[in-house]
Amino acid sequence: MVIDQDDRIYCRAGSKDDLEVFTSTEFPELLELHMDFGKVDETGLVLKSAPKLSFLTLAHVKDMNFFKNTWNSLKKLHVQSCSGIFSLENAILPNLEILTIDVSSDRCGATEINNCTFPKLLKLEVTGGDEANGFFENFVAPNLESFSSEMHISNLDLSKSSSNLKSLNSWNVRSLRLGAPEKLKELNLRGDCLEDLTFDTRVSLK
């Protein structure tokens, strides 16, 4: 583990013991954390309170349970180099503005966002390989402006996240529900698997 400043930490977990030491420490002034879990399984461990943490970059992480005590303060979350499935479930991140997830390091990777609420989210970007899959259910982000995906998505329901949506770029979505995207200016759907596109109101692209 390398600590550059009191308010910024860069670290890589070498063992479960490393994580246990890390989770036993409080970080009252921490603003920014870049953490690589490597091959260490973080299941069952939770970081103590870091009330000022606003920027989090993660590598080789499975889910966000390790950081559930920081959900209220996060503004930017970047998840990269995931292997397998990255899931975020039953979460409310009230101040998150930017969320990017990359599972392209694993050819069979997947992203799952289920029963989550992001009241201030502006940008969501998910990236994967040719065989990666995305699952988005009960996803609420009323201020979302930009959504971008590079993976197979069977059902993308943005009906509760489209009132402020301005840009939607997606690849290989089978079913898309957009709700009432009255501010939508860019709609770019690539691939040849789209079977169902539903709007709750008439849309005019400018």
Side-chain angles (χ1 to χ4, degrees):
M1 178 186 300
V2 178
I3 300 178
D4 283 2
Q5 300 177 9
D6 290 339
D7 62 358
R8 184 182 299 117
I9 294 178
Y10 295 80
C11 62
R12 178 182 175 88
S15 67
K16 193 88 170 186
D17 289 341
D18 287 347
L19 290 183
E20 290 177 351
V21 171
F22 194 70
T23 55
S24 67
T25 306
E26 294 187 358
F27 302 96
E29 300 299 323
L30 183 64
L31 299 177
E32 185 176 328
L33 174 60
H34 303 265
M35 190 163 186
D36 186 345
F37 287 89
K39 296 182 179 180
V40 180
D41 185 355
E42 76 277 11
T43 302
L45 296 177
V46 179
L47 183 68
K48 282 191 175 182
S49 177
K52 296 183 180 180
L53 184 64
S54 61
F55 182 20
L56 181 60
T57 299
L58 303 175
H60 303 106
V61 67
K62 295 180 179 178
D63 56 45
M64 283 294 292
N65 287 332
F66 185 88
F67 297 95
K68 65 182 181 181
N69 289 332
T70 69
W71 288 358
N72 287 342
S73 61
L74 286 180
K75 292 184 177 180
K76 295 181 181 180
L77 173 59
H78 300 301
V79 181
Q80 58 192 28
S81 302
C82 290
S83 58
I85 297 176
F86 171 79
S87 64
L88 183 57
E89 298 183 87
N90 303 315
I92 299 176
L93 282 77
N95 291 299
L96 191 67
E97 298 176 356
I98 297 175
L99 173 58
T100 61
I101 302 171
D102 180 7
V103 294
S104 60
S105 66
D106 187 281
R107 68 185 186 89
C108 295
T111 297
E112 181 178 6
I113 298 179
N114 181 38
N115 196 28
C116 292
T117 301
F118 310 105
K120 295 184 179 180
L121 188 66
L122 301 175
K123 177 182 178 182
L124 174 57
E125 181 178 309
V126 290
T127 306
D130 290 341
E131 298 182 28
N133 293 283
F135 305 91
F136 301 87
E137 298 180 359
N138 300 319
F139 167 62
V140 181
N143 288 299
L144 187 67
E145 295 182 353
S146 174
F147 180 92
S148 176
S149 67
E150 291 284 344
M151 60 175 54
H152 297 275
I153 301 177
S154 295
N155 182 31
L156 178 58
D157 187 353
L158 294 176
S159 60
K160 298 179 181 178
S161 306
S162 61
S163 59
N164 283 291
L165 193 65
K166 297 178 181 177
S167 174
L168 172 58
N169 290 276
S170 197
W171 174 74
N172 276 358
V173 174
R174 179 163 296 175
S175 176
L176 173 61
R177 185 177 179 186
L178 275 176
E182 297 177 355
K183 298 182 180 180
L184 189 65
K185 295 183 178 180
E186 179 184 3
L187 178 59
N188 184 12
L189 302 176
R190 290 163 291 126
D192 57 2
C193 69
L194 185 66
E195 297 177 356
D196 181 44
L197 174 60
T198 304
F199 298 99
D200 288 347
T201 188
R202 186 174 180 179
V203 178
S204 175
L205 300 181
K206 299 180 180 179

Coordinates of all heavy atoms in Angstrom, one line a residue, residues 140-206:
V140 N -33.0 3.7 -11.4 CA -33.6 5.0 -11.3 C -32.5 6.1 -11.3 O -31.7 6.1 -10.3 CB -34.5 5.1 -10.1 CG1 -35.1 6.5 -10.1 CG2 -35.6 4.1 -10.1
A141 N -32.4 6.9 -12.3 CA -31.5 8.0 -12.3 C -32.2 9.2 -13.0 O -31.9 9.4 -14.2 CB -30.2 7.6 -13.0
P142 N -33.0 10.0 -12.3 CA -33.8 11.0 -13.0 C -33.1 12.1 -13.6 O -33.6 12.8 -14.5 CB -34.7 11.5 -11.8 CG -33.9 11.2 -10.6 CD -33.2 9.9 -10.9
N143 N -31.8 12.3 -13.3 CA -31.0 13.4 -13.9 C -30.0 13.0 -14.9 O -29.1 13.7 -15.3 CB -30.3 14.2 -12.8 CG -31.3 15.1 -12.0 OD1 -31.9 16.0 -12.6 ND2 -31.4 14.8 -10.7
L144 N -30.1 11.7 -15.3 CA -29.1 11.1 -16.2 C -29.1 11.9 -17.6 O -30.2 12.1 -18.2 CB -29.4 9.7 -16.5 CG -28.4 8.9 -17.3 CD1 -27.1 8.7 -16.6 CD2 -29.0 7.5 -17.6
E145 N -28.0 12.3 -18.0 CA -27.9 13.0 -19.3 C -27.2 12.2 -20.4 O -27.5 12.4 -21.6 CB -27.0 14.3 -19.1 CG -27.7 15.3 -18.2 CD -26.9 16.6 -18.1 OE1 -25.7 16.6 -18.6 OE2 -27.4 17.6 -17.4
S146 N -26.4 11.3 -20.0 CA -25.6 10.5 -21.0 C -25.5 9.0 -20.6 O -25.1 8.7 -19.5 CB -24.2 11.1 -21.2 OG -23.4 10.3 -22.1
F147 N -25.9 8.1 -21.5 CA -25.8 6.7 -21.3 C -25.0 6.1 -22.5 O -25.4 6.3 -23.6 CB -27.1 6.0 -21.1 CG -27.0 4.5 -20.9 CD1 -27.0 4.0 -19.6 CD2 -27.0 3.6 -22.0 CE1 -26.9 2.7 -19.4 CE2 -26.8 2.3 -21.8 CZ -26.8 1.8 -20.5
S148 N -24.0 5.3 -22.2 CA -23.2 4.7 -23.3 C -22.9 3.3 -22.9 O -22.5 3.0 -21.7 CB -21.9 5.5 -23.5 OG -21.1 4.8 -24.5
S149 N -23.1 2.3 -23.8 CA -22.8 0.9 -23.5 C -22.1 0.2 -24.7 O -22.5 0.5 -25.8 CB -24.0 0.2 -23.1 OG -24.9 0.0 -24.1
E150 N -21.2 -0.7 -24.4 CA -20.5 -1.5 -25.3 C -20.5 -2.9 -24.8 O -19.5 -3.5 -24.4 CB -19.0 -1.0 -25.6 CG -18.9 0.3 -26.2 CD -19.1 0.3 -27.7 OE1 -19.1 -0.9 -28.3 OE2 -19.3 1.3 -28.3
M151 N -21.7 -3.5 -24.9 CA -21.9 -4.9 -24.5 C -23.3 -5.4 -24.9 O -24.1 -4.5 -25.2 CB -21.7 -5.1 -22.9 CG -22.6 -4.3 -22.1 SD -22.4 -4.6 -20.3 CE -20.7 -4.3 -20.1
H152 N -23.5 -6.6 -24.8 CA -24.9 -7.2 -25.1 C -25.8 -6.9 -23.9 O -25.5 -7.2 -22.8 CB -24.8 -8.7 -25.3 CG -24.0 -9.1 -26.5 ND1 -24.5 -9.1 -27.8 CD2 -22.7 -9.4 -26.6 CE1 -23.5 -9.4 -28.6 NE2 -22.4 -9.7 -28.0
I153 N -27.0 -6.3 -24.2 CA -28.0 -6.0 -23.2 C -29.3 -6.5 -23.7 O -29.8 -6.1 -24.7 CB -28.1 -4.5 -22.9 CG1 -26.7 -4.0 -22.4 CG2 -29.1 -4.3 -21.8 CD1 -26.7 -2.5 -22.1
S154 N -29.9 -7.5 -22.9 CA -31.2 -8.1 -23.3 C -32.3 -7.1 -23.1 O -33.2 -6.9 -24.0 CB -31.4 -9.4 -22.5 OG -30.5 -10.3 -22.9
N155 N -32.3 -6.4 -22.0 CA -33.4 -5.5 -21.6 C -32.8 -4.3 -21.0 O -32.3 -4.3 -19.9 CB -34.4 -6.2 -20.7 CG -35.6 -5.3 -20.4 OD1 -35.9 -4.4 -21.2 ND2 -36.1 -5.4 -19.2
L156 N -32.9 -3.1 -21.6 CA -32.4 -1.9 -21.0 C -33.7 -1.0 -20.8 O -34.3 -0.4 -21.7 CB -31.5 -1.2 -22.0 CG -30.9 0.2 -21.6 CD1 -30.2 0.1 -20.2 CD2 -30.0 0.8 -22.6
D157 N -34.0 -0.8 -19.5 CA -35.2 0.0 -19.2 C -34.7 1.3 -18.6 O -34.3 1.3 -17.4 CB -36.0 -0.8 -18.2 CG -37.4 -0.1 -17.9 OD1 -37.5 1.1 -18.3 OD2 -38.2 -0.7 -17.2
L158 N -34.8 2.3 -19.4 CA -34.5 3.7 -18.9 C -35.7 4.6 -18.7 O -35.6 5.8 -18.7 CB -33.5 4.4 -19.9 CG -32.1 3.7 -20.1 CD1 -31.4 4.4 -21.2 CD2 -31.4 3.8 -18.8
S159 N -36.8 3.9 -18.5 CA -38.1 4.7 -18.4 C -38.1 5.6 -17.2 O -38.8 6.6 -17.2 CB -39.3 3.7 -18.4 OG -39.2 2.8 -17.2
K160 N -37.3 5.3 -16.2 CA -37.3 6.1 -15.0 C -36.0 7.0 -14.9 O -35.7 7.6 -13.9 CB -37.4 5.3 -13.7 CG -38.7 4.5 -13.6 CD -38.7 3.7 -12.3 CE -40.0 2.9 -12.2 NZ -40.1 2.1 -11.0
S161 N -35.3 7.0 -16.1 CA -34.0 7.6 -16.1 C -33.8 8.4 -17.4 O -32.7 8.7 -17.8 CB -32.9 6.6 -16.0 OG -33.0 5.8 -14.8
S162 N -34.9 8.8 -18.0 CA -34.8 9.4 -19.4 C -35.3 10.9 -19.5 O -35.2 11.5 -20.5 CB -35.5 8.6 -20.4 OG -36.9 8.5 -20.1
S163 N -35.8 11.4 -18.4 CA -36.5 12.7 -18.5 C -35.5 13.8 -18.8 O -35.8 14.8 -19.4 CB -37.2 13.1 -17.2 OG -36.3 13.0 -16.1
N164 N -34.2 13.6 -18.4 CA -33.1 14.6 -18.8 C -32.1 14.0 -19.7 O -31.1 14.6 -20.0 CB -32.4 15.1 -17.5 CG -33.3 16.1 -16.7 OD1 -33.4 17.2 -17.2 ND2 -33.8 15.7 -15.6
L165 N -32.4 12.8 -20.3 CA -31.4 12.2 -21.1 C -31.2 13.0 -22.5 O -32.2 13.3 -23.1 CB -31.9 10.8 -21.5 CG -30.9 9.8 -22.1 CD1 -29.7 9.5 -21.1 CD2 -31.6 8.5 -22.5
K166 N -29.9 13.3 -22.8 CA -29.6 14.0 -24.0 C -28.9 13.1 -25.0 O -29.0 13.3 -26.2 CB -28.7 15.2 -23.6 CG -29.4 16.2 -22.8 CD -28.5 17.4 -22.4 CE -29.1 18.4 -21.5 NZ -28.2 19.5 -21.1
S167 N -28.1 12.1 -24.5 CA -27.4 11.3 -25.4 C -27.4 9.8 -25.0 O -27.2 9.5 -23.9 CB -25.9 11.7 -25.4 OG -25.1 10.9 -26.2
L168 N -27.8 9.0 -26.0 CA -27.8 7.5 -25.8 C -27.1 6.8 -26.9 O -27.5 6.9 -28.0 CB -29.3 7.0 -25.7 CG -29.5 5.5 -25.6 CD1 -28.8 4.9 -24.4 CD2 -31.0 5.2 -25.6
N169 N -26.0 6.2 -26.5 CA -25.2 5.4 -27.5 C -25.1 4.0 -27.0 O -24.5 3.8 -25.9 CB -23.8 6.0 -27.7 CG -23.8 7.3 -28.4 OD1 -23.9 7.4 -29.6 ND2 -23.8 8.4 -27.6
S170 N -25.6 3.0 -27.7 CA -25.6 1.7 -27.2 C -25.4 0.7 -28.3 O -25.7 0.9 -29.5 CB -26.9 1.4 -26.5 OG -26.8 0.2 -25.7
W171 N -24.7 -0.5 -28.0 CA -24.4 -1.5 -29.0 C -25.1 -2.8 -28.6 O -24.9 -3.3 -27.4 CB -22.9 -1.6 -29.1 CG -22.4 -2.8 -29.9 CD1 -22.4 -2.8 -31.3 CD2 -21.8 -4.0 -29.5 NE1 -21.9 -4.0 -31.7 CE2 -21.5 -4.7 -30.6 CE3 -21.6 -4.5 -28.2 CZ2 -20.9 -6.0 -30.5 CZ3 -21.0 -5.8 -28.1 CH2 -20.7 -6.5 -29.3
N172 N -25.8 -3.4 -29.5 CA -26.4 -4.7 -29.3 C -27.4 -4.8 -28.1 O -27.2 -5.6 -27.2 CB -25.3 -5.8 -29.1 CG -24.9 -6.3 -30.5 OD1 -25.4 -5.9 -31.5 ND2 -23.9 -7.2 -30.5
V173 N -28.3 -3.9 -28.1 CA -29.4 -3.9 -27.1 C -30.6 -4.6 -27.8 O -31.0 -4.2 -28.9 CB -29.8 -2.5 -26.7 CG1 -31.1 -2.5 -25.8 CG2 -28.7 -1.8 -26.0
R174 N -31.2 -5.6 -27.1 CA -32.3 -6.3 -27.7 C -33.7 -5.6 -27.5 O -34.5 -5.5 -28.4 CB -32.4 -7.7 -27.1 CG -33.6 -8.5 -27.6 CD -33.3 -10.0 -27.4 NE -32.2 -10.5 -28.1 CZ -31.7 -11.7 -28.0 NH1 -32.2 -12.6 -27.1 NH2 -30.6 -12.1 -28.6
S175 N -33.9 -5.1 -26.2 CA -35.1 -4.4 -25.9 C -34.8 -3.1 -25.2 O -34.0 -3.1 -24.2 CB -36.0 -5.3 -25.0 OG -37.2 -4.6 -24.6
L176 N -35.3 -2.0 -25.6 CA -35.0 -0.7 -25.0 C -36.3 0.1 -24.8 O -37.2 0.2 -25.6 CB -34.2 0.1 -26.0 CG -33.9 1.6 -25.6 CD1 -33.2 1.7 -24.3 CD2 -33.1 2.3 -26.7
R177 N -36.5 0.5 -23.5 CA -37.6 1.3 -23.1 C -37.1 2.7 -22.6 O -36.3 2.7 -21.7 CB -38.4 0.6 -22.0 CG -39.7 1.4 -21.6 CD -40.5 0.7 -20.6 NE -41.7 1.5 -20.2 CZ -42.5 1.1 -19.3 NH1 -42.3 0.0 -18.5 NH2 -43.5 1.9 -19.0
L178 N -37.5 3.7 -23.3 CA -37.0 5.1 -23.0 C -37.9 6.0 -22.2 O -37.5 7.1 -21.8 CB -36.6 5.7 -24.3 CG -35.2 5.4 -24.9 CD1 -35.0 6.0 -26.2 CD2 -34.2 5.8 -23.9
G179 N -39.1 5.6 -22.0 CA -40.0 6.5 -21.2 C -40.3 7.8 -21.9 O -40.8 7.7 -23.0
A180 N -40.0 8.9 -21.3 CA -40.3 10.2 -21.9 C -39.1 11.1 -22.0 O -38.9 12.0 -21.3 CB -41.4 11.0 -21.0
P181 N -38.2 10.8 -23.0 CA -36.9 11.5 -23.2 C -37.1 12.8 -24.0 O -36.7 12.9 -25.1 CB -36.1 10.5 -23.9 CG -37.1 9.7 -24.8 CD -38.4 9.7 -24.0
E182 N -37.8 13.8 -23.4 CA -38.1 15.0 -24.1 C -36.9 15.8 -24.5 O -36.9 16.7 -25.3 CB -39.1 15.8 -23.2 CG -40.4 15.1 -23.0 CD -41.3 15.9 -22.1 OE1 -40.9 17.0 -21.6 OE2 -42.5 15.5 -21.9
K183 N -35.7 15.6 -23.8 CA -34.5 16.4 -24.1 C -33.5 15.6 -24.9 O -32.4 16.1 -25.2 CB -33.9 16.8 -22.8 CG -34.7 17.7 -21.9 CD -34.0 18.1 -20.7 CE -34.9 19.1 -19.8 NZ -34.3 19.5 -18.6
L184 N -33.9 14.4 -25.4 CA -33.0 13.6 -26.2 C -32.6 14.2 -27.5 O -33.4 14.6 -28.3 CB -33.6 12.2 -26.5 CG -32.7 11.1 -27.0 CD1 -31.6 10.7 -26.1 CD2 -33.6 9.9 -27.4
K185 N -31.3 14.4 -27.7 CA -30.7 15.0 -28.9 C -30.0 13.9 -29.8 O -29.8 14.1 -31.0 CB -29.8 16.1 -28.6 CG -30.5 17.3 -27.9 CD -29.6 18.5 -27.7 CE -30.3 19.6 -27.1 NZ -29.4 20.8 -26.8
E186 N -29.5 12.9 -29.2 CA -28.7 11.9 -29.9 C -29.1 10.5 -29.5 O -29.1 10.1 -28.3 CB -27.2 12.1 -29.6 CG -26.3 11.1 -30.3 CD -24.8 11.2 -29.9 OE1 -24.5 12.1 -29.0 OE2 -24.0 10.5 -30.4
L187 N -29.5 9.7 -30.5 CA -29.8 8.3 -30.3 C -29.1 7.5 -31.3 O -29.4 7.5 -32.5 CB -31.3 8.1 -30.4 CG -31.9 6.7 -30.3 CD1 -31.5 6.1 -28.9 CD2 -33.4 6.6 -30.5
N188 N -28.1 6.7 -30.8 CA -27.3 5.9 -31.7 C -27.3 4.5 -31.2 O -26.7 4.1 -30.2 CB -25.8 6.5 -31.6 CG -24.9 5.7 -32.6 OD1 -25.4 5.0 -33.4 ND2 -23.6 6.0 -32.5
L189 N -28.0 3.6 -31.9 CA -28.2 2.2 -31.6 C -27.5 1.4 -32.6 O -27.9 1.4 -33.8 CB -29.6 1.8 -31.5 CG -30.5 2.6 -30.5 CD1 -31.9 2.2 -30.5 CD2 -29.9 2.4 -29.0
R190 N -26.4 0.7 -32.3 CA -25.6 0.0 -33.2 C -25.8 -1.5 -33.0 O -26.3 -1.9 -31.9 CB -24.1 0.3 -33.1 CG -23.8 1.7 -33.6 CD -22.5 2.2 -33.1 NE -22.5 2.5 -31.6 CZ -21.7 2.0 -30.8 NH1 -20.7 1.1 -31.2 NH2 -21.7 2.3 -29.5
G191 N -25.4 -2.3 -34.0 CA -25.7 -3.8 -33.9 C -27.0 -4.1 -34.6 O -27.7 -3.2 -35.0
D192 N -27.3 -5.4 -34.7 CA -28.4 -5.8 -35.4 C -29.4 -6.7 -34.6 O -30.1 -7.5 -35.2 CB -28.0 -6.6 -36.7 CG -27.1 -7.8 -36.3 OD1 -26.9 -8.1 -35.1 OD2 -26.7 -8.5 -37.2
C193 N -29.4 -6.5 -33.3 CA -30.2 -7.4 -32.5 C -31.5 -6.6 -31.9 O -32.2 -7.3 -31.1 CB -29.4 -8.0 -31.4 SG -28.8 -6.9 -30.1
L194 N -31.7 -5.4 -32.2 CA -32.8 -4.6 -31.6 C -34.1 -5.2 -32.1 O -34.4 -5.2 -33.3 CB -32.7 -3.1 -31.9 CG -33.8 -2.2 -31.3 CD1 -33.6 -2.2 -29.8 CD2 -33.7 -0.8 -31.8
E195 N -34.9 -5.6 -31.1 CA -36.2 -6.2 -31.5 C -37.4 -5.3 -31.0 O -38.5 -5.4 -31.5 CB -36.4 -7.6 -30.8 CG -35.4 -8.6 -31.4 CD -35.5 -9.9 -30.7 OE1 -36.3 -10.1 -29.7 OE2 -34.8 -10.9 -31.1
D196 N -37.2 -4.5 -29.9 CA -38.2 -3.7 -29.3 C -37.7 -2.4 -28.8 O -36.8 -2.3 -28.1 CB -38.9 -4.5 -28.2 CG -40.0 -3.8 -27.5 OD1 -40.8 -3.2 -28.3 OD2 -40.1 -3.7 -26.3
L197 N -38.3 -1.3 -29.3 CA -38.0 0.0 -28.9 C -39.3 0.8 -28.5 O -40.2 0.9 -29.3 CB -37.3 0.8 -30.0 CG -37.0 2.3 -29.8 CD1 -36.1 2.5 -28.6 CD2 -36.3 2.9 -31.1
T198 N -39.4 1.2 -27.2 CA -40.6 1.7 -26.7 C -40.4 3.1 -26.1 O -39.5 3.3 -25.3 CB -41.2 0.8 -25.6 OG1 -41.4 -0.5 -26.2 CG2 -42.5 1.3 -25.1
F199 N -41.3 4.0 -26.5 CA -41.3 5.4 -25.9 C -42.6 5.5 -25.2 O -43.7 5.1 -25.7 CB -41.2 6.5 -26.9 CG -39.8 6.5 -27.7 CD1 -39.8 5.9 -28.9 CD2 -38.7 7.0 -27.1 CE1 -38.6 5.9 -29.6 CE2 -37.5 7.0 -27.8 CZ -37.4 6.4 -29.1
D200 N -42.6 6.3 -24.1 CA -43.9 6.6 -23.4 C -44.5 7.9 -23.9 O -45.6 8.2 -23.5 CB -43.6 6.7 -21.9 CG -43.4 5.3 -21.2 OD1 -43.6 4.3 -21.9 OD2 -43.0 5.3 -20.1
T201 N -43.8 8.6 -24.7 CA -44.3 9.8 -25.3 C -43.6 10.0 -26.6 O -42.6 9.4 -27.0 CB -44.0 11.0 -24.3 OG1 -44.7 12.2 -24.8 CG2 -42.5 11.3 -24.3
R202 N -44.2 10.9 -27.4 CA -43.6 11.2 -28.7 C -42.2 11.9 -28.6 O -42.1 12.8 -27.8 CB -44.5 12.1 -29.5 CG -44.1 12.3 -31.0 CD -45.1 13.1 -31.7 NE -44.7 13.3 -33.1 CZ -45.4 13.9 -34.0 NH1 -46.7 14.3 -33.7 NH2 -45.0 14.1 -35.3
V203 N -41.3 11.5 -29.4 CA -39.9 12.0 -29.3 C -39.6 12.7 -30.5 O -39.8 12.3 -31.6 CB -38.9 10.8 -29.1 CG1 -37.5 11.4 -29.1 CG2 -39.2 10.1 -27.8
S204 N -38.9 13.9 -30.4 CA -38.4 14.7 -31.5 C -36.9 14.9 -31.3 O -36.5 15.5 -30.3 CB -39.1 16.0 -31.5 OG -38.6 16.9 -32.5
L205 N -36.1 14.3 -32.2 CA -34.7 14.5 -32.1 C -34.3 15.7 -32.9 O -34.7 15.9 -34.0 CB -34.0 13.2 -32.7 CG -34.3 11.9 -32.1 CD1 -33.5 10.8 -32.7 CD2 -34.0 11.9 -30.6
K206 N -33.5 16.6 -32.2 CA -33.1 17.8 -32.8 C -31.6 17.7 -33.2 O -30.8 17.1 -32.6 CB -33.3 19.0 -31.8 CG -34.7 19.2 -31.4 CD -34.8 20.3 -30.4 CE -36.3 20.5 -29.9 NZ -36.4 21.6 -28.9

